[in-house]
Amino acid sequence: MALNFNYYENLKDYYSQYSNLLDDQVTKQFPAQAVGQMLEMNLQIKKILNETTARYYEFVNLPSRNDLAHISSQIVKIDAKVDDLEEFTEETKDNQRDTVVLRGEIVNLKKEMKSLDTKLNQIVTLLNSQKVTNTKGTV
């Protein structure tokens, strides 16, 4: 019985098969699977760390990032409302100034009207007196 066992030939076949299998795995599935698994594991770790940090902040009574974001959004809303109120106040002041100016103009107009009315009454009185003297002189 002759044993035709060639150790180097078998090692070469094994290396060739393993190399081909490894090449197939690396080029097709392994990197995508491994990267996907690593990303999933990293996301789970990040989620756990975020939850732990949030619980710790709550325990030691410190604001979290979400609390600060909420407060900053509230500050922005309040700032917008203050700006609106300032604008409204300025418009109201302008309207009040316009009203004061308009009232002053109305008072001046009334004075001028009274002055014109008295002058007109004087003219009418003079005309009536001239009419009376003309009618007496012609009779």
mmCIF file of all heavy atoms in Angstrom, residues 7-28:
data_model
loop_
_atom_site.group_PDB
_atom_site.id
_atom_site.type_symbol
_atom_site.label_atom_id
_atom_site.label_comp_id
_atom_site.label_asym_id
_atom_site.label_seq_id
_atom_site.Cartn_x
_atom_site.Cartn_y
_atom_site.Cartn_z
ATOM 1 N N TYR A 7 2.293 16.288 1.653
ATOM 2 C CA TYR A 7 1.934 17.304 2.633
ATOM 3 C C TYR A 7 1.934 18.694 2.011
ATOM 4 O O TYR A 7 1.025 19.498 2.244
ATOM 5 C CB TYR A 7 2.911 17.232 3.814
ATOM 6 C CG TYR A 7 2.654 18.288 4.856
ATOM 7 C CD1 TYR A 7 1.580 18.164 5.730
ATOM 8 C CD2 TYR A 7 3.487 19.393 4.979
ATOM 9 C CE1 TYR A 7 1.347 19.130 6.687
ATOM 10 C CE2 TYR A 7 3.259 20.351 5.938
ATOM 11 C CZ TYR A 7 2.173 20.224 6.791
ATOM 12 O OH TYR A 7 1.937 21.169 7.737
ATOM 13 N N TYR A 8 2.868 19.018 1.230
ATOM 14 C CA TYR A 8 2.971 20.349 0.629
ATOM 15 C C TYR A 8 1.882 20.589 -0.403
ATOM 16 O O TYR A 8 1.381 21.699 -0.543
ATOM 17 C CB TYR A 8 4.360 20.549 0.018
ATOM 18 C CG TYR A 8 5.432 20.598 1.080
ATOM 19 C CD1 TYR A 8 6.326 19.549 1.240
ATOM 20 C CD2 TYR A 8 5.511 21.685 1.938
ATOM 21 C CE1 TYR A 8 7.290 19.585 2.217
ATOM 22 C CE2 TYR A 8 6.477 21.719 2.928
ATOM 23 C CZ TYR A 8 7.350 20.672 3.066
ATOM 24 O OH TYR A 8 8.295 20.712 4.050
ATOM 25 N N GLU A 9 1.525 19.529 -1.108
ATOM 26 C CA GLU A 9 0.445 19.650 -2.090
ATOM 27 C C GLU A 9 -0.874 19.921 -1.377
ATOM 28 O O GLU A 9 -1.659 20.773 -1.806
ATOM 29 C CB GLU A 9 0.387 18.331 -2.864
ATOM 30 C CG GLU A 9 -0.018 18.286 -4.296
ATOM 31 C CD GLU A 9 0.395 19.414 -5.206
ATOM 32 O OE1 GLU A 9 1.569 19.720 -5.405
ATOM 33 O OE2 GLU A 9 -0.556 20.019 -5.747
ATOM 34 N N ASN A 10 -1.151 19.222 -0.292
ATOM 35 C CA ASN A 10 -2.372 19.443 0.496
ATOM 36 C C ASN A 10 -2.370 20.839 1.128
ATOM 37 O O ASN A 10 -3.413 21.520 1.181
ATOM 38 C CB ASN A 10 -2.514 18.385 1.579
ATOM 39 C CG ASN A 10 -2.982 17.064 1.015
ATOM 40 O OD1 ASN A 10 -3.564 17.025 -0.072
ATOM 41 N ND2 ASN A 10 -2.717 15.979 1.714
ATOM 42 N N LEU A 11 -1.231 21.281 1.620
ATOM 43 C CA LEU A 11 -1.133 22.622 2.214
ATOM 44 C C LEU A 11 -1.374 23.689 1.155
ATOM 45 O O LEU A 11 -2.058 24.681 1.410
ATOM 46 C CB LEU A 11 0.248 22.803 2.849
ATOM 47 C CG LEU A 11 0.450 24.083 3.657
ATOM 48 C CD1 LEU A 11 -0.530 24.134 4.817
ATOM 49 C CD2 LEU A 11 1.865 24.169 4.166
ATOM 50 N N LYS A 12 -0.867 23.453 -0.039
ATOM 51 C CA LYS A 12 -1.072 24.384 -1.137
ATOM 52 C C LYS A 12 -2.548 24.429 -1.514
ATOM 53 O O LYS A 12 -3.109 25.511 -1.736
ATOM 54 C CB LYS A 12 -0.215 23.974 -2.330
ATOM 55 C CG LYS A 12 -0.282 24.924 -3.487
ATOM 56 C CD LYS A 12 0.615 24.459 -4.633
ATOM 57 C CE LYS A 12 0.406 25.316 -5.841
ATOM 58 N NZ LYS A 12 1.130 24.840 -6.992
ATOM 59 N N ASP A 13 -3.224 23.267 -1.587
ATOM 60 C CA ASP A 13 -4.665 23.232 -1.881
ATOM 61 C C ASP A 13 -5.470 23.934 -0.789
ATOM 62 O O ASP A 13 -6.406 24.701 -1.067
ATOM 63 C CB ASP A 13 -5.139 21.777 -2.031
ATOM 64 C CG ASP A 13 -4.728 21.149 -3.346
ATOM 65 O OD1 ASP A 13 -4.369 21.933 -4.269
ATOM 66 O OD2 ASP A 13 -4.756 19.922 -3.444
ATOM 67 N N TYR A 14 -5.112 23.668 0.455
ATOM 68 C CA TYR A 14 -5.815 24.281 1.585
ATOM 69 C C TYR A 14 -5.638 25.801 1.545
ATOM 70 O O TYR A 14 -6.591 26.559 1.704
ATOM 71 C CB TYR A 14 -5.302 23.719 2.913
ATOM 72 C CG TYR A 14 -5.869 24.415 4.114
ATOM 73 C CD1 TYR A 14 -7.178 24.192 4.516
ATOM 74 C CD2 TYR A 14 -5.100 25.315 4.848
ATOM 75 C CE1 TYR A 14 -7.713 24.839 5.612
ATOM 76 C CE2 TYR A 14 -5.620 25.979 5.949
ATOM 77 C CZ TYR A 14 -6.927 25.736 6.323
ATOM 78 O OH TYR A 14 -7.447 26.380 7.407
ATOM 79 N N TYR A 15 -4.433 26.258 1.306
ATOM 80 C CA TYR A 15 -4.152 27.688 1.233
ATOM 81 C C TYR A 15 -4.926 28.318 0.082
ATOM 82 O O TYR A 15 -5.502 29.397 0.216
ATOM 83 C CB TYR A 15 -2.654 27.937 1.068
ATOM 84 C CG TYR A 15 -2.318 29.399 0.885
ATOM 85 C CD1 TYR A 15 -2.335 30.268 1.973
ATOM 86 C CD2 TYR A 15 -2.014 29.908 -0.377
ATOM 87 C CE1 TYR A 15 -2.037 31.610 1.797
ATOM 88 C CE2 TYR A 15 -1.725 31.241 -0.548
ATOM 89 C CZ TYR A 15 -1.737 32.096 0.535
ATOM 90 O OH TYR A 15 -1.451 33.424 0.362
ATOM 91 N N SER A 16 -4.965 27.643 -1.060
ATOM 92 C CA SER A 16 -5.671 28.149 -2.230
ATOM 93 C C SER A 16 -7.164 28.253 -1.960
ATOM 94 O O SER A 16 -7.801 29.261 -2.262
ATOM 95 C CB SER A 16 -5.404 27.253 -3.426
ATOM 96 O OG SER A 16 -6.158 27.664 -4.530
ATOM 97 N N GLN A 17 -7.754 27.201 -1.369
ATOM 98 C CA GLN A 17 -9.189 27.209 -1.067
ATOM 99 C C GLN A 17 -9.517 28.278 -0.014
ATOM 100 O O GLN A 17 -10.492 29.017 -0.134
ATOM 101 C CB GLN A 17 -9.639 25.830 -0.581
ATOM 102 C CG GLN A 17 -9.660 24.771 -1.658
ATOM 103 C CD GLN A 17 -9.963 23.391 -1.087
ATOM 104 O OE1 GLN A 17 -10.182 23.256 0.120
ATOM 105 N NE2 GLN A 17 -9.964 22.387 -1.957
ATOM 106 N N TYR A 18 -8.683 28.362 1.022
ATOM 107 C CA TYR A 18 -8.906 29.335 2.074
ATOM 108 C C TYR A 18 -8.744 30.754 1.532
ATOM 109 O O TYR A 18 -9.526 31.654 1.857
ATOM 110 C CB TYR A 18 -7.938 29.098 3.244
ATOM 111 C CG TYR A 18 -8.153 30.057 4.384
ATOM 112 C CD1 TYR A 18 -9.246 29.903 5.248
ATOM 113 C CD2 TYR A 18 -7.280 31.115 4.620
ATOM 114 C CE1 TYR A 18 -9.447 30.779 6.291
ATOM 115 C CE2 TYR A 18 -7.478 31.989 5.657
ATOM 116 C CZ TYR A 18 -8.557 31.826 6.497
ATOM 117 O OH TYR A 18 -8.771 32.685 7.530
ATOM 118 N N SER A 19 -7.774 30.951 0.667
ATOM 119 C CA SER A 19 -7.543 32.255 0.069
ATOM 120 C C SER A 19 -8.720 32.673 -0.796
ATOM 121 O O SER A 19 -9.180 33.817 -0.746
ATOM 122 C CB SER A 19 -6.270 32.220 -0.757
ATOM 123 O OG SER A 19 -6.072 33.445 -1.419
ATOM 124 N N ASN A 20 -9.234 31.728 -1.597
ATOM 125 C CA ASN A 20 -10.401 32.026 -2.430
ATOM 126 C C ASN A 20 -11.630 32.333 -1.570
ATOM 127 O O ASN A 20 -12.386 33.259 -1.862
ATOM 128 C CB ASN A 20 -10.698 30.864 -3.385
ATOM 129 C CG ASN A 20 -9.667 30.739 -4.482
ATOM 130 O OD1 ASN A 20 -8.977 31.705 -4.811
ATOM 131 N ND2 ASN A 20 -9.540 29.530 -5.049
ATOM 132 N N LEU A 21 -11.842 31.559 -0.524
ATOM 133 C CA LEU A 21 -12.971 31.790 0.379
ATOM 134 C C LEU A 21 -12.852 33.152 1.063
ATOM 135 O O LEU A 21 -13.824 33.905 1.143
ATOM 136 C CB LEU A 21 -13.053 30.673 1.427
ATOM 137 C CG LEU A 21 -14.183 30.799 2.454
ATOM 138 C CD1 LEU A 21 -15.541 30.656 1.761
ATOM 139 C CD2 LEU A 21 -14.024 29.752 3.530
ATOM 140 N N LEU A 22 -11.662 33.453 1.538
ATOM 141 C CA LEU A 22 -11.427 34.731 2.204
ATOM 142 C C LEU A 22 -11.610 35.890 1.229
ATOM 143 O O LEU A 22 -12.224 36.909 1.573
ATOM 144 C CB LEU A 22 -10.028 34.763 2.811
ATOM 145 C CG LEU A 22 -9.729 35.937 3.733
ATOM 146 C CD1 LEU A 22 -10.687 35.955 4.911
ATOM 147 C CD2 LEU A 22 -8.304 35.877 4.213
ATOM 148 N N ASP A 23 -11.121 35.732 -0.001
ATOM 149 C CA ASP A 23 -11.311 36.773 -1.013
ATOM 150 C C ASP A 23 -12.793 37.002 -1.286
ATOM 151 O O ASP A 23 -13.246 38.147 -1.409
ATOM 152 C CB ASP A 23 -10.596 36.400 -2.318
ATOM 153 C CG ASP A 23 -9.091 36.556 -2.229
ATOM 154 O OD1 ASP A 23 -8.638 37.246 -1.290
ATOM 155 O OD2 ASP A 23 -8.382 35.989 -3.092
ATOM 156 N N ASP A 24 -13.548 35.918 -1.417
ATOM 157 C CA ASP A 24 -14.994 36.045 -1.651
ATOM 158 C C ASP A 24 -15.671 36.761 -0.488
ATOM 159 O O ASP A 24 -16.528 37.627 -0.688
ATOM 160 C CB ASP A 24 -15.637 34.669 -1.852
ATOM 161 C CG ASP A 24 -15.294 34.054 -3.200
ATOM 162 O OD1 ASP A 24 -14.830 34.822 -4.087
ATOM 163 O OD2 ASP A 24 -15.480 32.832 -3.365
ATOM 164 N N GLN A 25 -15.305 36.381 0.727
ATOM 165 C CA GLN A 25 -15.919 36.988 1.905
ATOM 166 C C GLN A 25 -15.560 38.485 2.010
ATOM 167 O O GLN A 25 -16.405 39.302 2.315
ATOM 168 C CB GLN A 25 -15.494 36.260 3.189
ATOM 169 C CG GLN A 25 -16.031 34.864 3.304
ATOM 170 C CD GLN A 25 -17.549 34.864 3.423
ATOM 171 O OE1 GLN A 25 -18.125 35.707 4.085
ATOM 172 N NE2 GLN A 25 -18.188 33.915 2.761
ATOM 173 N N VAL A 26 -14.305 38.793 1.762
ATOM 174 C CA VAL A 26 -13.864 40.183 1.891
ATOM 175 C C VAL A 26 -14.477 41.049 0.809
ATOM 176 O O VAL A 26 -14.901 42.171 1.065
ATOM 177 C CB VAL A 26 -12.321 40.267 1.866
ATOM 178 C CG1 VAL A 26 -11.839 41.694 1.671
ATOM 179 C CG2 VAL A 26 -11.747 39.687 3.138
ATOM 180 N N THR A 27 -14.537 40.549 -0.400
ATOM 181 C CA THR A 27 -15.045 41.367 -1.495
ATOM 182 C C THR A 27 -16.561 41.459 -1.505
ATOM 183 O O THR A 27 -17.100 42.410 -2.047
ATOM 184 C CB THR A 27 -14.575 40.821 -2.852
ATOM 185 O OG1 THR A 27 -14.995 39.468 -2.999
ATOM 186 C CG2 THR A 27 -13.082 40.931 -2.996
ATOM 187 N N LYS A 28 -17.254 40.529 -0.910
ATOM 188 C CA LYS A 28 -18.708 40.535 -1.007
ATOM 189 C C LYS A 28 -19.400 40.889 0.301
ATOM 190 O O LYS A 28 -20.092 41.884 0.408
ATOM 191 C CB LYS A 28 -19.216 39.182 -1.505
ATOM 192 C CG LYS A 28 -18.818 38.868 -2.916
ATOM 193 C CD LYS A 28 -19.373 37.555 -3.360
ATOM 194 C CE LYS A 28 -18.908 37.247 -4.780
ATOM 195 N NZ LYS A 28 -19.348 35.946 -5.214
#
